[in-house]
Amino acid sequence: MDSREVEVHLALVLLTMMMMMIGIVPSSAKERLSHGEIYRRNLLANGLGLTPPMGWNSWNHFDCNINEKIIRETADALVSTGLSDLGYKYVNIDDCWAEIHRDDKGRLVAKNSTFPSGIKALADYVHNKGLKLGIYGDAGYFTCSNLMPGSLGYEEKDAKTFAEWGIDYLKYDNCYNDGSKPTVRYPVMTRALMKAGRPIFLSLCEWGDMHPALWGNPVGNSWRTTGDIRDNWDNMMSRADLNEFFAEYARPGGWNDPDMLEIGNGGMTLDEYRVHLSIWAISKAPLLIGCDVRNISKDIMDIIANKEVIAVNQDKLGIQAKKVRWEGDPTIWAGPLSKMRVVLLLVNSGPSQHSITAHWDDIGLPQNTVVEARDLWEHKTLKQHFVNNLTATVTSHGCKMYVLTPVL
Ligand code: GLA
């Protein structure tokens, strides 16, 4: 080869490598890849979770006290309140839905005393309302309640059962496992679901133990980055902080999950619940309502039904915001949105109100950019335009949330 030929050859090799890195495999290279390699590359090619999932989950409010009536009434309520039209589509049954023993063919069985009609009937009911049904399993021998079997060693059987029942979402927990690494146990379920013939959103509930953000992307559509949330300010804010650490790993198809929403369960003030939804929205976290939506107050409804905040969570760009500055109690969170916009969240964790200033060089806006600010909780576009910084007074345990749009 002369030097020109070497250059062309090198360019082709580089191009092939780049195409392979972004998942385009030229046919000549494909022949050289083993079946296993191609399979691994597409481990979770289920096309789901292009924006964070939205819906409801039974655990935070009902714990193990669930039955099919509650699930059906919740589906009814999601539709009648209009929440499903806002995107809250998944109706997710958490722990305690199954008998402790499998049937004689080794299949999971719905608990007869609480789910007598079976899960398939429930899936049909939920689907007829235009909603989706989620279920809960575990990558160990028992689920965390210790009241139903886990799927370890039964992954293919259970994935097939879930697909046959019409399940759309699987939350996959980590209790009572055999001590092997989650990086070994979880992909077994991923592959089983891929073979089961139905796209099922896979939510890895590994509590952040082995930093699933680092390996979760080809394995699940979301991964818990923290232990369980509790319905109080300190716990909620600590989930938010732990989750923020992994911001750059979130992307369409795979999201960081700081756990489900506690809004409406009574342990926080309305201002605190607004902060809760705001941080989850900008963090591109799953928005899974955790209260009893059959009995919801207007105040709580106004929070979880805030269309403008939901739109930030569902923004097509799918980039998780970061905590860009903290000065003790006041913190500033920001992230890019589609159409050159920026979402800005000012949070006050202190005991009294605080004036907080966001500077453009902290939040990713070029100097001298003039912006229009939309206040997402007041539902008002501010009359004044802003350049280089924006200052607001924020109440104790409250927030101000803005979408900033450059004025051209
Ligand atoms: C674990 C999970 C929770 C919930 C319970 C159910 O603690 O992290 O979200 O699913 O198990 O037992």
Side-chain angles (χ1 to χ4, degrees):
M1 278 194 229
D2 62 22
S3 62
R4 169 96 189 115
E5 280 172 335
V6 170
E7 263 174 35
V8 171
H9 179 74
L10 279 177
L12 277 173
V13 170
L14 256 176
L15 185 67
T16 308
M17 280 169 64
M18 280 166 66
M19 286 168 78
M20 289 175 76
M21 275 165 71
I22 57 169
I24 305 168
V25 185
S27 57
S28 57
K30 230 181 228 164
E31 280 146 26
R32 273 182 264 127
L33 284 178
S34 72
H35 181 69
E37 277 171 305
I38 293 171
Y39 196 53
R40 244 196 337 275
R41 180 190 310 278
N42 298 309
L43 207 51
L44 195 67
N46 65 6
L48 298 176
L50 295 182
T51 59
M54 294 175 64
W56 172 88
N57 173 291
S58 55
W59 184 254
N60 283 356
H61 187 82
F62 293 97
D63 207 281
C64 265
N65 306 309
I66 47 168
N67 57 53
E68 61 182 40
K69 184 164 174 278
I70 293 176
I71 305 299
R72 274 200 302 264
E73 289 177 357
T74 297
D76 296 347
L78 286 173
V79 173
S80 65
T81 53
L83 286 169
S84 67
D85 285 339
L86 297 175
Y88 294 101
K89 297 272 190 226
Y90 286 106
V91 180
N92 291 353
I93 311 169
D94 208 279
D95 204 351
C96 308
W97 60 268
E99 295 286 1
I100 185 74
H101 295 298
R102 292 169 176 270
D103 72 7
D104 54 6
K105 297 202 171 69
R107 289 175 306 204
L108 290 166
V109 184
K111 197 166 176 179
N112 192 41
S113 58
T114 45
F115 291 84
S117 319
I119 304 298
K120 171 93 177 68
L122 211 45
D124 291 345
Y125 185 87
V126 164
H127 290 156
N128 278 336
K129 299 197 147 281
L131 303 175
K132 294 171 184 297
L133 190 70
I135 210 157
Y136 166 93
D138 188 281
Y141 298 120
F142 297 97
T143 64
C144 294
S145 65
N146 206 2
L147 293 173
M148 55 175 273
S151 295
L152 189 61
Y154 290 85
E155 291 86 352
E156 291 212 357
K157 200 172 285 262
D158 292 352
K160 203 160 163 271
T161 304
F162 296 148
E164 279 167 12
W165 285 345
I167 294 295
D168 303 294
Y169 183 118
L170 172 65
K171 171 175 172 180
Y172 202 44
D173 217 333
N174 197 23
C175 279
Y176 299 104
N177 63 63
D178 60 358
S180 63
K181 288 185 179 174
T183 45
V184 173
R185 273 177 293 116
Y186 278 81
V188 183
M189 183 51 95
T190 312
R191 282 189 286 270
L193 289 175
M194 287 306 290
K195 279 168 81 177
R198 183 180 173 84
I200 296 180
F201 185 103
L202 179 55
S203 147
L204 313 178
C205 182
E206 182 264 3
W207 320 310
D209 275 5
M210 244 187 88
H211 300 324
L214 307 188
W215 51 268
N217 247 305
V219 181
N221 297 109
S222 67
W223 44 84
R224 281 271 297 275
T225 50
T226 74
D228 289 8
I229 192 167
R230 298 277 169 251
D231 189 13
N232 66 69
W233 170 261
D234 286 343
N235 180 286
M236 182 274 289
M237 287 302 284
S238 66
R239 306 305 87 183
D241 283 342
L242 288 165
N243 188 67
E244 189 269 346
F245 195 68
F246 297 101
E248 58 257 54
Y249 296 96
R251 67 190 71 161
W255 307 104
N256 288 314
D257 174 8
D259 207 358
M260 304 166 295
L261 300 170
E262 289 283 10
I263 300 165
N265 282 332
M268 291 186 243
T269 66
L270 293 177
D271 270 339
E272 291 173 336
Y273 281 145
R274 274 181 210 110
V275 175
H276 186 1
L277 187 71
S278 304
I279 299 187
W280 264 238
I282 63 170
S283 305
K284 305 295 187 278
L287 296 184
L288 296 171
I289 301 168
C291 68
D292 184 356
V293 287
R294 301 168 310 167
N295 300 300
I296 205 164
S297 70
K298 180 168 183 321
D299 286 341
I300 295 299
M301 189 65 189
D302 284 347
I303 296 176
I304 59 178
N306 186 325
K307 281 185 192 166
E308 300 193 70
V309 174
I310 292 171
V312 167
N313 178 255
Q314 297 291 305
D315 184 68
K316 293 286 177 288
L317 201 56
I319 295 181
Q320 180 172 336
K322 291 188 69 87
K323 186 156 86 172
V324 294
R325 185 169 273 275
W326 53 103
E327 296 156 348
D329 291 333
T331 54
I332 299 171
W333 303 63
L337 296 176
S338 56
K339 298 187 194 147
M340 313 285 284
R341 297 166 307 150
V342 166
V343 62
L344 171 64
L345 182 70
L346 310 175
V347 180
N348 176 8
S349 296
S352 48
Q353 72 172 35
H354 226 291
S355 164
I356 308 182
T357 299
H359 295 276
W360 276 200
D361 50 0
D362 281 336
I363 66 172
L365 278 171
Q367 280 306 305
N368 303 324
T369 308
V370 180
V371 303
E372 180 184 88
R374 173 80 181 169
D375 183 324
L376 303 194
W377 286 110
E378 297 291 332
H379 301 293
K380 265 193 215 134
T381 303
L382 305 192
K383 287 201 183 78
Q384 176 201 351
H385 284 170
F386 297 85
V387 62
N388 292 340
N389 60 66
L390 182 155
T391 300
T393 301
V394 186
T395 51
S396 162
H397 288 201
C399 66
K400 292 297 266 177
M401 184 175 185
Y402 303 99
V403 166
L404 307 179
T405 306
V407 181
L408 300 172

